[in-house]
Amino acid sequence: MTETARQLIDALKAGNRLQENDFLQILRLADVENVEYAKSLANDLRIKHFGNAIFLRGLVEFTNHCKNDCLYCGIRHSNVDVVRYRLSKEQILDCLEQGYAAGLRTLVLQGGEDAWFNDERMCDIVSAVKSKHSDIAVTLSLGERSYESYRRLKEAGADRYLLRHETATEWHYAKLHPSFQKLSVRMQCLEWLKELGYQVGCGMMIGSPYQTTECLATDLAFIQDFRPQMVGLGPFIPHHATPFANEPAGSVETTLFMLALVRLTLPKVLLPSTTALSTLHPEGRLRGILAGANVIMPNLSPTDVRDNYSLYDNKANTGLEAVEGVAKLDKELSTIGCHITVDRGDARY
Ligand code: 5AD
């Protein structure tokens, strides 16, 4: 008997392990009603495990120099129009203080793959953050590095690491990246990070060029097996100065459905409602939460560099995704019965 999308969604909710083909059937067969059903189950699961608390992560985009050349990304190495910047350690610590005062207890240091931030400099920054505020969790998002580098950063005090896998399908990865960037290396890095005891986040864009429904099913099966503590997932949005300038953006609805399926697959996962989602839809952030997301990442970067950290066009900058907007954000969340928490929001598995 072939199962219906609803039966498969129920099986996932009941804690069953699905095959890649089951995920594919869910994605292929689901009608509007099934999608709404999955989102409401995911929202219930979020409430069951986290109540109405939404975790905040203060994001500092500390360098837009990048040696990589991802075809989708606005700060890719080949984009010569970008005004490149690096924040100093003092600037990063200033961002930290602003975030701390606003109640944020996780600092996410995100940057391009920038050799200037070698292990010595990065470890120095991480330990400075930790010695200023021992109750702050430090999340790094610095791309691919060596095992030894990840080890040293962990030793310096880093708690978590975000490294989106972008797609778990080899041929698709090759369509999105130049040949010197390899999916196998990305996956090796994710394994190392896990082995070293980081709380690890992987993730992908929804609707990236060439992505098929099979790719998304493969991503869900990978996430089910890898069991990351965090999953970063947002729609692809074209950037005018990349080879994908004329490609269509990903769908908001598919992104919401994928958020719900990730929540159903890993009930306790930490799942941000991303800025990319807010960029495509004015209610994107809230809709993400109602589909199972439980994390928001306000931007702590100095305002004068924000425009230069442009991964895609029209990045939302209405104030609500920035640190200045924490009170407003809390008010917005109250319209769906949620509230911000200052809890560090560590993984529960
Ligand atoms: N649209 C949406 N997300 C993007 N990212 C990079 N470029 C884009 C884009 N054009 C995402 C990638 C990367 C993360 C930091 O931002 O998934 O891992």
Side-chain angles (χ1 to χ4, degrees), residues 121-143:
R121 291 194 174 107
M122 256 350 277
C123 288
D124 180 47
I125 293 168
V126 171
S127 38
V129 169
K130 283 287 187 172
S131 56
K132 279 212 140 188
H133 295 287
S134 59
D135 56 341
I136 279 268
V138 173
T139 303
L140 298 178
S141 180
L142 321 172

Side-chain angles (χ1 to χ4, degrees), residues 72-74 110 141 164 166 186 203-205 234-239 276 309 311-312:
Y72 44 84
C73 184
Q110 182 174 93
S141 180
R164 289 191 179 180
E166 312 296 357
R186 186 62 56 111
M204 63 281 182
M205 293 173 288
F236 161 75
I237 303 175
H239 183 286
Y309 200 86
L311 308 185
Y312 48 82

Side-chain angles (χ1 to χ4, degrees), residues 281-319:
H281 196 285
E283 283 157 24
R285 189 175 16 251
L286 294 185
R287 292 181 65 183
I289 288 167
L290 293 173
N294 66 336
V295 172
I296 293 176
M297 300 174 70
N299 196 335
L300 284 181
S301 309
T303 38
D304 57 321
V305 303
R306 279 185 203 173
D307 286 349
N308 298 327
Y309 200 86
S310 169
L311 308 185
Y312 48 82
D313 289 338
N314 308 315
K315 184 165 147 193
N317 201 354
T318 61

Side-chain angles (χ1 to χ4, degrees), residues 76-346:
R76 66 199 300 264
H77 185 76
S78 315
N79 185 2
V80 291
D81 296 340
V82 180
V83 179
R84 304 282 171 176
Y85 72 89
R86 291 184 179 109
L87 298 186
S88 66
K89 177 175 156 191
E90 290 64 37
Q91 284 175 301
I92 294 172
L93 293 175
D94 283 348
C95 299
L96 166 71
E97 289 314 321
Q98 277 196 38
Y100 196 88
L104 275 60
R105 293 296 177 269
T106 292
L107 187 70
V108 182
L109 296 175
Q110 182 174 93
E113 291 198 17
D114 179 0
W116 197 86
F117 286 99
N118 58 17
D119 294 345
E120 198 182 330
R121 291 194 174 107
M122 256 350 277
C123 288
D124 180 47
I125 293 168
V126 171
S127 38
V129 169
K130 283 287 187 172
S131 56
K132 279 212 140 188
H133 295 287
S134 59
D135 56 341
I136 279 268
V138 173
T139 303
L140 298 178
S141 180
L142 321 172
E144 295 169 2
R145 298 173 82 99
S146 66
Y147 182 89
E148 181 56 15
S149 172
Y150 291 145
R151 195 193 59 71
R152 287 180 64 182
L153 291 164
K154 184 86 185 35
E155 202 174 78
D159 301 279
R160 311 181 187 142
Y161 205 103
L162 302 175
L163 181 64
R164 289 191 179 180
H165 64 285
E166 312 296 357
T167 173
T169 304
E170 192 100 40
W171 66 259
H172 186 216
Y173 198 90
K175 289 279 194 190
L176 301 179
H177 303 97
S179 57
F180 70 86
Q181 293 178 239
K182 300 251 181 279
L183 179 60
S184 55
V185 173
R186 186 62 56 111
M187 293 302 194
Q188 173 67 264
C189 288
L190 284 166
E191 290 294 342
W192 283 338
L193 290 162
K194 201 180 202 187
E195 189 182 319
L196 284 162
Y198 282 92
Q199 296 169 45
V200 181
C202 63
M204 63 281 182
M205 293 173 288
I206 307 302
S208 58
Y210 307 100
Q211 188 178 63
T212 62
T213 309
E214 284 82 358
C215 294
L216 291 178
T218 306
D219 288 324
L220 288 170
F222 166 67
I223 286 168
Q224 175 180 252
D225 284 343
F226 185 63
R227 296 186 56 77
Q229 285 85 4
M230 307 169 281
V231 174
L233 184 163
F236 161 75
I237 303 175
H239 183 286
H240 63 274
T242 64
F244 293 156
N246 298 319
E247 298 288 336
S251 134
V252 170
E253 270 314 315
T254 309
T255 304
L256 295 170
F257 191 28
M258 288 295 290
L259 282 172
L261 294 175
V262 170
R263 167 68 62 212
L264 291 171
T265 304
L266 299 174
K268 295 183 185 174
V269 76
L270 291 153
L271 190 62
S273 184
T274 55
T275 303
L277 188 56
S278 315
T279 298
L280 286 191
H281 196 285
E283 283 157 24
R285 189 175 16 251
L286 294 185
R287 292 181 65 183
I289 288 167
L290 293 173
N294 66 336
V295 172
I296 293 176
M297 300 174 70
N299 196 335
L300 284 181
S301 309
T303 38
D304 57 321
V305 303
R306 279 185 203 173
D307 286 349
N308 298 327
Y309 200 86
S310 169
L311 308 185
Y312 48 82
D313 289 338
N314 308 315
K315 184 165 147 193
N317 201 354
T318 61
L320 284 193
E321 56 291 303
V323 68
E324 306 83 75
V326 170
K328 273 200 245 166
L329 186 59
D330 200 35
K331 199 161 170 215
E332 184 189 270
L333 289 171
S334 72
T335 65
I336 56 165
C338 293
H339 60 84
I340 286 167
T341 172
V342 297
D343 185 294
R344 262 176 48 136
D346 283 295

